[in-house]
């Protein structure tokens, strides 16, 4: 038996784990690493199943190539040759604009994904770059871009010091947090109350997070902007605003909210006017306070406005960039993405619908139509990395059909799943324990400054490429240099670019040094590790890979400190940026508009992580099932039995009903990541559930950013009557995944 330490790579909480392995490299146990100064031994059921996930017999060991509908396992050389042939064929016939790439969520959790994402998009030379950002946090980044000039300047709630936390549209007791990395989020929320602080949760469901709170309020899905406008209105009306940073647009903001007094917005959001006033007063009066919101509001029609108003409230209550309020993490690595160039968006638009580019990407809601619509620039080849958009994108069912029309598709993914089954070639990354791990991105949103590196625990089999090598080879192929071009030449060029810039940058720790000499000093067993070493050395704490290796439990770099001045790349914080102010006009027009009888929202489940953990027997079944939560009042009103048919503008599903008064009347909730079929995941297909994104609509997007809308989707919910009697009913049950 041996012990190994590593950061859990599954969700955003960056928990430190302690693994024991037997002599065959099998994981015997996974515990929380008590010596981790940040995680302090916390672990959830997913982390505890890391061994089973890593050893999943359905994980692909070798590349797969599909010919005439048949899958064949091939060697790596043949697989890369097939990718080169397929991509080159499309580029030669239709040009680079006919290619597209989609980066899924785990791209942002692996070292290789983060480092080679930009080079791959660039090498493809296409405007058609998509990622999970535009089905997730894009509105937050656009709001930060418009307010601060930097779409990566994301303030996190100072969880361990705040006196008052208002959470809307997030359920960190089950999701463990997002754009706010904190192991044991539930414990930190309990600690907040134990030290006399107050926790308020606003959610159409009484969630586990709500159960930890002093107060929970139901809100009508998609109406948070109204609530927040009411709060801002009160802060101005009662003279409670205390802005202590340099801002512009204060008067314009005051003017914008004038039409939204609490009593006027109350009917739209379902929260009484006097409660809105009280929330504003409490936020202003608390010694320190933070408002935090995530997926629940990002994925609504006015998601960017909500993100903006949340930070506007943090600013107006004097809680921005201040202990106990919301603050900016100072990561251990250099931040090469901080170019100082103020954020702009809409530098290009999607061909069919004209949706705007943001952060170098187009909204994923446009992918299906870009594949389906003929004409110059039609997408005919797709590369996906660590994504399952058939289950995660709005109107995934349409995308499922669209993918069948591609001329070539290659996926970097460990599974044959609902998306990768449409590929011509699947390139599986190594096992989790064969990869080194450093959270380049998540460590920029931790609630304490912190760094932790995990070396690979198990070696790669001879001839087996790392995920970095797979990505680098794809870059070389995409750039037209062929399948045999040296993958390391790419990482060397990346290092050279970084070091050459550093030696000439005034104030850089490498200023005036020799780039070649520095390169020779870099440490690391693979290119990703060498790049990490360079970024650590260039970082603000002067750390190195060797130091991180020597401290496998991670390094606490202290509580967050104010750093807004460092990050701001415009003169002053903008309180009323243009496109957002325009949206307020639209919100006013809609204030009294009729609302749908029933709307759909999503939810996350403790033992799922989006679509890809359902093949681990310990994580699926029992309480982890795909059910439609319906308030008992609606169950009775609609005459629902154990199954319901849910219809939307995009499609319909038949699903098991879970009556619960934890969801507000008029709202139903369905988790995403289900709807398993036709895959190589033998456990998952035994627990299929239904695809929530067969109901969400790609035609409706968030107004400013083009982000997907998953919450507040109008639906019709009906009892399933069995026209053909018992037999048909059994068929419906089976299709609904009810056993
Ligand atoms: N266990 C588990 N953990 C995960 C994941 C997972 O799938 N499972 N996924 C990971 C990922 S990719 C992410 S991005 C994070 C997300 O982490 P969170 O943002 O915490 O996501 P959710 O748990 O979906 O919480 C969203 C909440 O918003 C509520 N909601 C829906 N519509 C509205 C609305 O209009 N207004 C308001 N105020 N609330 C609304 C929902 O009821 C839900 O409780 O979680 C990560 N962690
Ligand atoms: N209705 C609805 N839809 C949603 C959401 C919602 O709340 N409601 N949430 C959205 C959010 S926040 C997100 S982030 C997206 C997620 O959207 P996606 O990223 O498209 O979906 P995932 O299910 O996370 O798929 C991850 C894929 O990565 C693969 N994978 C796992 N580890 C690795 C690895 O190390 N390397 C590689 N190459 N591949 C790996 C898995 O096998 C899986 O195929 O879903 C979105 N979709
Ligand atoms: S909370 Fe997230 S990071 Fe922590 S053990 Fe669970 S899955 Fe892993
Ligand atoms: Mo996400």
């Amino acid at each position: 038996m041996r012990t190994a330490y590593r950061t859990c790579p599954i969700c955003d909480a960056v928990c430190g784990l302690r693994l024991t392995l037997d002599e065959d490299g099998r994981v015997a146990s996974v515990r929380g690493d008590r010596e981790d100064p940040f995680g302090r031994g916390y672990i959830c059921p997913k982390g505890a199943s890391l061994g089973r996930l890593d050893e999943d017999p359905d994980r692909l060991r070798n590349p797969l190539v599909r010919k005439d509908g048949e899958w064949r396992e091939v060697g790596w050389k043949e697989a890369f040759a097939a990718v080169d042939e397929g991509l080159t064929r499309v580029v030669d016939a239709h040009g680079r604009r006919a290619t597209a790439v989609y980066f899924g969520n785990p791209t942002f959790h692996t070292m290789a994904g983060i480092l080679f994402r930009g080079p791959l998009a660039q090498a493809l030379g296409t405007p058609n770059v998509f990622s999970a950002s535009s089905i997730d946090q894009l509105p937050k980044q656009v709001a930060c871009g418009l307010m601060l000039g930097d779409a990566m300047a994301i303030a996190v709630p100072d969880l361990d010091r705040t006196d008052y936390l208002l959470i809307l549209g997030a359920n960190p007791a089950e999701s463990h947090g997002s754009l706010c990395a904190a192991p044991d989020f539930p414990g930190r929320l309990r600690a907040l109350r134990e030290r006399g602080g107050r926790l308020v949760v606003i959610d159409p469901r009484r969630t586990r997070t709500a159960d930890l709170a002093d107060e929970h309020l139901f809100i009508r899905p998609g109406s948070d902007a109204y609530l927040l406008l009411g709060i801002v209105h009160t802060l101005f009306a009662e003279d409670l605003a205390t802005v202590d940073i340099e801002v512009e647009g204060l008067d314009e903001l005051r003017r914008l909210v004038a039409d939204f007094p609490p009593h006027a917005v109350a009917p739209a959001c379902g929260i009484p006017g006097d409660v809105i006033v009280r929330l504003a007063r409490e936020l202003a009066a608390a010694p320190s306070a933070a408002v935090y919101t995530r997926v629940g509001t990002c994925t609504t029609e006015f998601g960017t406005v909500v993100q903006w108003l949340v930070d506007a409230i943090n600013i107006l209550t004097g809680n921005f960039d201040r202990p106990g309020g919301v603050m900016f993490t100072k990561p251990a690595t250099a931040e090469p993405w901080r170019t100082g160039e103020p954020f702009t968006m809409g530098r290009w638009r999607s061909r069919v619908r004209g949706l705007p580019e943001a952060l170098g990407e187009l909204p994923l809601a446009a992918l299906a139509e870009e594949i389906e619509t003929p004409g110059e620039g039609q997408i005919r080849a797709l590369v996906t990395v660590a994504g399952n958009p058939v289950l995660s994108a709005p109107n995934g069912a349409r995308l499922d059909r669209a993918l069948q029309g591609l001329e070539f598709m290659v996926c970097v993914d460990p599974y044959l799943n609902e998306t990768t089954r449409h590929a011509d070639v699947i390139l599986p990354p190594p096992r989790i324990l064969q990869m080194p791990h450093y959270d380049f991105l998540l460590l920029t949103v931790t609630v304490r400054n912190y760094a932790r590196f995990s070396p690979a625990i198990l070696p790669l089999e001879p001839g087996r490429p790392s995920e970095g090598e797979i990505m680098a080879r794809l870059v070389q192929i995409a750039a037209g240099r062929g399948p045999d071009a040296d993958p390391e030449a790419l990482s060397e060029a990346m290092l050279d670019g970084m070091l050459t810039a550093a030696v000439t940058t005034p104030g850089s720790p490498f200023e005036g040094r020799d780039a070649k000499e520095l390169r020779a000093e870099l440490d690391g067993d693979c290119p990703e590790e060498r790049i990490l070493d360079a970024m650590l050395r260039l970082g603000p704490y002067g750390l190195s890979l060797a130091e991180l290796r020597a401290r496998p439990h991670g390094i606490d770099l202290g509580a967050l400190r104010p750093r807004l001045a460092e990050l701001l790349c415009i003169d002053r914080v903008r309180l009323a940026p243009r496109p957002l102010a325009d949206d307020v006009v639209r919100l006013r027009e809609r204030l009294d508009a009729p609302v749908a009888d029933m709307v759909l929202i999503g939810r996350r489940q403790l033992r799922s992580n989006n679509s890809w953990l359902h093949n681990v027997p310990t994580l699926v079944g029992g309480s982890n099932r795909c059910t439609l939560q319906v308030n008992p009042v609606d169950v009775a009103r609609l005459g629902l039995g154990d199954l319901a048919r849910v219809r939307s503008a995009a499609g319909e599903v038949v699903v098991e009903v879970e009556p619960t008064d934890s969801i507000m009347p008029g709202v139903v909730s369905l988790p995403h990541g289900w709807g398993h079929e036709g895959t190589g995941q033998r456990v998952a297909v035994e627990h299929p559930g239904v695809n929530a994104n067969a109901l969400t609509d790609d035609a409706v997007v968030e107004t400013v950013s083009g982000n997907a809308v998953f919450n507040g989707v109008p639906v019709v919910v009906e009892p399933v009557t069995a026209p053909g009697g018992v037999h048909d009913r059994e068929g419906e049950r089976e299709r609904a995944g009810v056993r």
Side-chain angles (χ1 to χ4, degrees), residues 105 132 135-137 178 294-295 604 610:
N105 169 279
I135 50 176
D136 186 346
Q137 83 292 345
S178 175
R294 268 306 283 121
V295 159
R604 276 173 170 70
N610 302 327

Side-chain angles (χ1 to χ4, degrees), residues 8-15 17 42-48 175-176 183:
C8 177
I10 297 172
C11 84
D12 298 12
V14 300
C15 299
L17 304 180
Y42 183 78
I43 185 170
C44 85
K46 295 186 294 298
S175 72
H176 293 103

Side-chain angles (χ1 to χ4, degrees), residues 268-291:
C269 66
I271 296 179
D274 56 339
V275 176
I276 299 175
V277 170
R278 175 168 58 77
L279 290 174
R281 290 180 187 159
E282 286 177 5
L283 283 165
S288 69
V291 187

Side-chain angles (χ1 to χ4, degrees), residues 267-325:
C269 66
I271 296 179
D274 56 339
V275 176
I276 299 175
V277 170
R278 175 168 58 77
L279 290 174
R281 290 180 187 159
E282 286 177 5
L283 283 165
S288 69
V291 187
Y292 168 68
T293 186
R294 268 306 283 121
V295 159
T297 63
C298 271
T299 56
T300 59
E301 214 173 330
F302 289 94
T304 308
V305 166
V306 173
Q307 312 310 306
W308 157 52
L309 292 173
V310 158
D311 273 339
I313 292 171
N314 286 322
I315 292 168
L316 293 174
T317 55
N319 283 303
F320 201 69
D321 196 34
R322 156 184 178 219

